[in-house]
Amino acid sequence: MAQQNTSEDPTPPRPDTPILTSNLNLRSVVNQNSYFGFSASTGAKTAEINRVLRWNLTVQSYYDVNCVDIGLIVGIPTVVLLLASLGLVYYFRKRWLSRRSDRKMSRKVMRMPGMLREYQYKDLQKATNNFDKTRKLGQGGYGVVYKGYLANQKDLEVAVKMFSRESLKGQDDFFQELTIINQLRHKNLVPLLGWCHNHGKLLLVYDYMPNGSLDKHLFRVGDANSTTLSWNLRRKIITGVASALYYLNNNYNKRVVHRDVKASNIMLDAEFNPKLGDFGLARTLDFEKTSYTEPQGVPGTPGYMAPEYMFTGKANEQSDVYAFGAVLLEVVCGRMPGTQIGTYPLLVGWVWALHRKGQLLEAVDSRLGEDYAVEEAQRFLLLGLACSHPIASARPKTQEIVQMLSGLMPVPHVPSFKSPYALAPVLILEEDIIPVTTIDTMFFTA
């Protein structure tokens, strides 16, 4: 409280230092939201004027500020350190699991017969320019295929197949394909050069096929890298694929069911020799087994899948024959199996209708003009229909197909029209009950 100033100056000066000062801790008294004011009294007999000339209120909570400062100083580095520690633990655990998986896969592969080469991931990464999208050759449910150049092998051109799934299922598919193709040796199968399993990545290295896949030349009209296949090339491709299927079904110590024979899986080398590839869905059969049953779902491509395989999940030699029949028809006709022509939703239905009308040769690819062998084209089309028969037992065997293509054996009789009721005794097998009308709609719209 300042001393009384008796000067007549209406605004007496303040003293340099206050006479009364006090630091008050009002935390326990003042609420979060409070009002401050002043009051004074002179009493009944004293006449004085009480004035507040100037006041200043500063509210500080040293305790809170210090806590926040300490929290920031101690808490942030602690959180950062904790997150960094968790990140390091995750990184090293993932790296340890990856290396353990690599070692496990390496031991499995090393037990395989033969001398299959193991590539380093960094070499394949360099060969494909870090898996550049411009190097992409194809893509499917299994992953992506890239073109690469192996500098340490004199710039050898290769196709690197990277599996997209790194789960147990992906590893199973990878090992299944590796196991099967490693033991196959045939001029019409895509040669496997090696493998890689590093950093959790699953890769297979194949010989590069300069002319790409068959479907590119059949259906990608106007593509700069495609060409209209001559009849001689089509014959070569058909007979080569048939030879490969015969080998898979008969000349291996365990029979192989490919389950994905289609134009996009038939590769063409520099001389247009066919090479059947993509064994991701392939399975081996012991000779005492008649089929392989898929436990979950039915993988494959519509148009190439045999009806009994779609409905029962059982794949065998005859389901591959059905797929070959679809390929045979599309090579001769230049149309996809699922092509709708007029009122026919499938290519096979349209070809069968032409056969019934005696106009079978109208199915031949119009791009060939008259530059094809008439008798051979008719034989190939009839064989395609025979392989596409909805009753598995009525289809020819792969050995017979090879002989029929070469003209050493006649094509089986293909009726111009089949009654849908003929399917009932065959397609209703074991636990499978297939309505005949459904099968008739799918396969006999002719």
Side-chain angles (χ1 to χ4, degrees):
M1 181 181 294
Q3 292 179 337
Q4 185 177 4
N5 191 328
T6 58
S7 174
E8 295 181 358
D9 187 352
T11 57
R14 292 184 305 162
D16 294 334
T17 58
I19 298 174
L20 180 65
T21 181
S22 176
N23 293 326
L24 301 176
N25 184 356
L26 302 178
R27 285 178 61 88
S28 60
V29 179
V30 180
N31 295 327
Q32 179 71 26
N33 298 314
S34 302
Y35 294 93
F36 291 87
F38 302 92
S39 64
S41 175
T42 60
K45 297 180 180 180
T46 304
E48 289 184 354
I49 297 176
N50 297 289
R51 292 183 299 174
V52 176
L53 300 179
R54 186 177 179 182
W55 69 281
N56 180 46
L57 178 65
T58 301
V59 180
Q60 289 182 332
S61 178
Y62 292 103
Y63 177 80
D64 287 345
V65 172
N66 290 338
C67 285
V68 172
D69 290 342
I70 293 172
L72 291 175
I73 294 171
V74 177
I76 292 178
T78 302
V79 172
V80 171
L81 183 61
L82 179 61
L83 292 176
S85 300
L86 291 175
L88 288 173
V89 170
Y90 174 78
Y91 169 77
F92 283 110
R93 175 173 171 78
K94 185 176 180 180
R95 185 176 179 181
W96 177 76
L97 290 174
S98 176
R99 288 184 175 180
R100 187 178 71 167
S101 177
D102 292 344
R103 289 193 297 269
K104 183 179 179 181
M105 181 64 70
S106 295
R107 287 194 296 268
K108 291 175 69 175
V109 175
M110 293 306 176
R111 289 196 291 266
M112 292 181 181
M115 297 294 292
L116 195 59
R117 176 169 182 171
E118 180 179 5
Y119 287 90
Q120 295 300 312
Y121 181 78
K122 62 180 181 180
D123 293 333
L124 298 182
Q125 192 175 29
K126 182 179 179 181
T128 58
N129 193 22
N130 197 24
F131 302 101
D132 192 289
K133 63 180 181 181
T134 60
R135 297 284 187 90
K136 185 186 295 186
L137 296 174
Q139 184 171 359
Y142 55 81
V144 185
V145 178
Y146 298 90
K147 182 180 181 180
Y149 302 90
L150 291 173
N152 56 357
Q153 291 184 250
K154 299 180 181 179
D155 284 335
L156 176 67
E157 290 183 311
V158 294
V160 181
K161 178 178 181 179
M162 175 184 284
F163 287 75
S164 59
R165 294 170 294 176
E166 298 175 15
S167 61
L168 179 61
K169 182 67 170 66
Q171 291 190 13
D172 288 345
D173 290 344
F174 169 82
F175 189 72
Q176 187 73 42
E177 181 167 355
L178 182 61
T179 303
I180 293 176
I181 197 68
N182 178 49
Q183 301 183 58
L184 299 176
R185 299 291 183 272
H186 191 273
K187 66 179 182 178
N188 294 117
L189 298 179
V190 177
L192 177 66
L193 301 179
W195 64 287
C196 173
H197 186 204
N198 291 107
H199 306 292
K201 302 294 184 181
L202 308 172
L203 304 104
L204 293 177
V205 183
Y206 286 95
D207 231 353
Y208 174 68
M209 299 289 112
N211 281 310
S213 57
L214 172 61
D215 65 319
K216 178 180 69 174
H217 300 280
L218 287 176
F219 312 124
R220 300 181 195 177
V221 180
D223 191 320
N225 296 319
S226 65
T227 182
T228 300
L229 299 173
S230 67
W231 182 254
N232 289 336
L233 288 179
R234 297 185 194 217
R235 181 197 305 114
K236 181 200 289 191
I237 291 168
I238 291 170
T239 55
V241 175
S243 177
L245 281 179
Y246 171 71
Y247 169 77
L248 294 178
N249 293 156
N250 299 277
N251 287 5
Y252 180 41
N253 58 357
K254 288 185 178 181
R255 291 173 298 156
V256 176
V257 180
H258 190 280
R259 297 202 303 166
D260 205 17
V261 178
K262 58 183 179 180
S264 59
N265 286 338
I266 299 171
M267 311 305 295
L268 304 173
D269 67 11
E271 287 74 38
F272 284 89
N273 294 305
K275 309 281 185 178
L276 181 61
D278 196 349
F279 282 73
L281 297 182
R283 294 296 182 267
T284 57
L285 298 177
D286 294 327
F287 276 98
E288 63 271 13
K289 292 185 178 180
T290 59
S291 65
Y292 169 83
T293 303
E294 182 66 32
Q296 295 181 342
V298 182
T301 304
Y304 300 90
M305 299 166 65
E308 74 278 1
Y309 174 54
M310 287 193 298
F311 288 107
T312 69
K314 296 178 180 178
N316 53 26
E317 174 190 350
Q318 294 311 105
S319 56
D320 277 354
V321 167
Y322 185 94
F324 173 77
V327 171
L328 181 52
L329 291 179
E330 66 181 331
V331 170
V332 176
C333 302
R335 300 171 185 261
M336 294 182 179
T339 301
Q340 180 167 350
I341 307 172
T343 59
Y344 304 101
L346 300 173
L347 173 62
V348 64
W350 176 66
V351 176
W352 221 308
L354 292 176
H355 169 54
R356 184 170 66 251
K357 298 174 184 177
Q359 303 169 350
L360 187 59
L361 291 178
E362 291 185 14
V364 176
D365 191 345
S366 60
R367 289 173 293 178
L368 290 170
E370 297 182 358
D371 189 16
Y372 66 92
V374 174
E375 185 276 332
E376 204 169 42
Q378 184 162 345
R379 184 169 73 248
F380 288 0
L381 288 169
L382 289 174
L383 180 56
L385 292 179
C387 293
S388 303
H389 201 292
I391 301 176
S393 60
R395 299 171 202 150
K397 307 294 183 183
T398 52
Q399 182 178 4
E400 297 171 339
I401 291 173
V402 172
Q403 294 177 325
M404 292 174 188
L405 288 173
S406 62
L408 299 176
M409 182 177 181
V411 176
H413 172 68
V414 179
S416 58
F417 182 83
K418 286 181 177 292
S419 169
Y421 298 99
L423 301 177
V426 178
L427 286 180
I428 302 180
L429 299 174
E430 300 174 359
E431 73 278 7
D432 309 304
I433 302 177
I434 314 299
V436 172
T437 54
T438 302
I439 302 299
D440 178 45
T441 302
M442 293 179 62
F443 299 101
F444 288 92
T445 54

